[in-house]
Amino acid sequence: MAPSSRTPSALLDFLRSSYPSAVTPSTSEANLPGLSHELFPKTSYTDNEKVETSQWLTTSSRLATPDEDEAKHAERLGSLNIHLSTRTTLLGSKPSVADIALYYRLAPAVKSWSAEERTGEHGYHHIVRFIDFVQNAPLFALAIKDEDKVKIDVSDVKFVHKPLDAKEEKERKKKEKAAATAAGGDRKELLSGKGRGEEGNKASKKEQARDAATRAEDEAKGMVAGEATQPSKKEKKDKQPKLQKQAPKETPFSPCLIDLRVGHILKAENHPNADSLYVSTIACGDAPGTDNTSEYEGQVVRTVCSGLNGLVPLEEMQGRKIVAVCNLKPVTMRGIKSAAMVLAASPRLKEGEEDNHKGPVELVTPPADAKVGERVMFEGWAGEPEGVLNPKKKVWETLQPGFTTTTGLEVGFDMGAVPQLQAGEEAKKPVGKLVTASGGTCTVKSLGNAVVR
């Protein structure tokens, strides 16, 4: 199952043979992401679908890399097979240039697959079905000679998988999310003396049985002594006072309310509708099914828009680790929903100076050995983050002025810049370094005493 080595220029030639009016000799590889509308003018695409198309074009080029590690290649094929299990095309049902690119780059490999690799128990059934659909469907109308098509016998199925039900898959992801939430909730309940479980229930039943036996014994003694066994009206009215539930303990106002994590940018590209924005696909360690996430190359990811275009070179945004703010309320930026924020440093403005947004800007970098999704926090500020910060409470806006860098280029939190924290003993805290749960310190390249946001 070696990857195909078909080049971008060969892909353009292949597209030109089927769509000569849309793919002209001047069309370059850089034009590929925007070709879908030219090839399928009756189909409209949302901004998110345009971004997804671009991501799949990148994935198809990686699948065609001849020197890619075999294990990584198999992982990519497995992720693609799962993605296609509930979709006709890469976007679901809409055709795109990414479908054709994927077909072109995978078809030679699929031709050489054995029947077991195609439809065996561990085969790539859905990829094979996708290849057959793209090469034959009038929807794509590809100019491929019959002898050049991948020969697929639809009746030759070595192993029949149970169909993947979309509702069941959605329910499965919900259960995984609920289980992850419960794991944290159970721990908190145990710490607060709640959630005794089965043993607690058993103990409670034993206590009830003892109380009942005691009451029965007292009544028997009363009957022997000639006392009335019927309770008085007053006794009937007496009720045990209800235990009032304690209000949930609020986490003290501090930088620990902000959910900072190590993120890994898998891919970054220019925003289709804004020159100042990048659109990044970032793995942040989320559980499958988490709100505002999707799957990309087998990983749970967030789509993040950042105003770094023109300030940080696009090549510096590729395949690198960053620190992400993960509990801001998602916002839509020029048509694309952004579900996190990338931390970066910029020079502190002098008094009276205006921010011209020209930089320089440096990304906050976690330790090289930090794991994706690892919690990041400021020393001296322990606590759990909020689920999603309430925009009305202005938590981020209030705490952000304390985010800074030191002369040693370490990222830290200076509570002196946050008036709401300056009370009593708290005012004595020094600048707390931004560290990962495993103990490494987050840094910047060269900007000391800078603003971090």
Side-chain angles (χ1 to χ4, degrees):
M1 281 188 284
S4 164
S5 58
R6 294 188 164 189
T7 62
S9 59
L11 170 60
L12 287 170
D13 291 338
F14 177 72
L15 286 166
R16 195 173 294 115
S17 67
S18 297
Y19 308 97
S21 59
V23 186
T24 64
S26 62
T27 303
S28 66
E29 183 186 358
N31 303 131
L32 282 174
L35 271 181
S36 291
H37 184 66
E38 300 297 326
L39 304 183
F40 310 102
K42 294 182 179 180
T43 304
S44 59
Y45 301 91
T46 65
D47 289 330
N48 281 332
E49 286 171 338
K50 291 174 184 176
V51 171
E52 192 175 348
T53 297
S54 183
Q55 291 173 341
W56 281 115
L57 283 169
T58 301
T59 298
S60 70
S61 66
R62 288 175 179 168
L63 283 168
T65 305
D67 57 351
E68 183 176 53
D69 176 74
E70 181 123 6
K72 185 64 178 176
H73 184 68
E75 181 185 335
R76 290 190 201 279
L77 287 176
S79 298
L80 174 62
N81 194 60
I82 292 171
H83 179 81
L84 291 171
S85 64
T86 56
R87 298 167 177 82
T88 303
T89 67
L90 291 172
L91 296 181
S93 58
K94 293 181 181 180
S96 71
V97 66
D99 293 305
I100 302 172
L102 190 62
Y103 167 82
Y104 180 72
R105 284 162 170 157
L106 272 185
V110 177
K111 271 186 180 181
S112 64
W113 288 356
S114 66
E116 189 64 31
E117 288 172 321
R118 291 186 180 195
T119 59
E121 183 174 359
H122 303 292
Y124 303 108
H125 301 63
H126 305 295
I127 292 178
V128 173
R129 186 260 309 155
F130 169 82
I131 292 292
D132 190 48
F133 175 73
V134 173
Q135 69 182 2
N136 292 309
L139 179 66
F140 291 98
L142 295 178
I144 309 173
K145 296 179 182 178
D146 286 342
E147 57 268 27
D148 294 331
K149 291 181 179 179
V150 180
K151 302 297 185 292
I152 297 173
D153 183 357
V154 293
S155 63
D156 186 13
V157 179
K158 299 300 180 186
F159 183 84
V160 179
H161 286 268
K162 180 183 176 182
L164 183 63
D165 187 277
K167 290 184 178 178
E168 288 181 4
E169 180 68 6
K170 187 176 181 181
E171 195 63 32
R172 179 186 67 79
K173 289 184 177 181
K174 279 186 179 179
K175 287 180 180 178
E176 287 182 354
K177 182 182 176 183
T181 304
D186 289 346
R187 180 172 62 84
K188 290 179 182 177
E189 287 183 353
L190 288 171
L191 288 173
S192 62
K194 300 178 182 178
R196 289 182 298 171
E198 189 176 346
E199 291 183 6
N201 290 335
K202 286 181 180 178
S204 178
K205 288 179 180 178
K206 287 180 180 179
E207 291 170 4
Q208 291 174 8
R210 275 200 304 270
D211 291 343
T214 303
R215 285 196 302 272
E217 185 179 347
D218 291 342
E219 288 178 7
K221 289 178 180 177
M223 290 177 67
V224 171
E227 297 174 354
T229 58
Q230 293 296 325
S232 67
K233 290 182 180 180
K234 185 177 180 181
E235 288 176 337
K236 283 184 179 179
K237 290 181 181 178
D238 285 344
K239 293 182 179 179
Q240 292 291 331
K242 289 184 178 179
L243 294 175
Q244 293 186 354
K245 294 182 178 178
Q246 291 184 348
K249 187 177 180 181
E250 287 191 12
T251 305
F253 187 74
S254 79
C256 71
L257 294 174
I258 300 172
D259 186 3
L260 299 172
R261 300 186 218 163
V262 175
H264 183 208
I265 301 178
L266 304 179
K267 172 181 169 56
E269 61 188 359
N270 296 321
H271 192 296
N273 300 323
D275 293 339
S276 63
L277 300 178
Y278 286 138
V279 180
S280 303
T281 301
I282 306 179
C284 296
D286 294 292
T290 301
D291 290 343
N292 302 303
T293 63
S294 58
E295 290 186 14
Y296 178 69
E297 294 190 348
Q299 297 190 58
V300 179
V301 297
R302 298 183 181 214
T303 298
V304 180
C305 297
S306 56
L308 300 172
N309 197 338
L311 299 172
V312 177
L314 185 57
E315 55 269 22
E316 285 189 23
M317 297 287 291
Q318 309 293 342
R320 65 165 293 160
K321 289 180 181 176
I322 49 87
V323 174
V325 182
C326 293
N327 61 344
L328 297 175
K329 186 176 180 180
V331 294
T332 299
M333 303 177 73
R334 300 295 294 273
I336 295 178
K337 183 184 280 189
S338 179
M341 185 174 73
V342 178
L343 278 189
S346 57
R348 193 176 300 276
L349 296 177
K350 298 176 182 177
E351 188 174 350
E353 186 179 2
E354 292 186 7
D355 191 354
N356 55 18
H357 300 288
K358 292 184 179 179
V361 171
E362 295 176 357
L363 297 180
V364 173
T365 304
D369 58 351
K371 295 180 180 179
V372 172
E374 187 174 353
R375 179 83 194 279
V376 184
M377 64 206 82
F378 292 103
E379 287 182 335
W381 298 95
E384 292 299 314
E386 291 281 346
V388 177
L389 295 176
N390 186 341
K392 293 181 180 179
K393 293 184 178 181
K394 304 290 184 184
V395 176
W396 166 252
E397 292 82 355
T398 303
L399 292 168
Q400 182 275 320
F403 285 48
T404 185
T405 63
T406 66
T407 54
L409 306 182
E410 296 172 328
V411 179
F413 182 77
D414 179 12
M415 66 172 297
V418 183
Q420 290 83 345
L421 294 176
Q422 297 176 43
E425 293 298 316
E426 294 292 331
K428 298 179 181 179
K429 283 190 178 182
V431 173
K433 292 189 292 186
L434 185 63
V435 296
T436 59
S438 56
T441 304
C442 300
T443 59
V444 293
K445 282 183 181 179
S446 63
L447 296 176
N449 191 31
V451 174
V452 176
R453 56 193 169 193

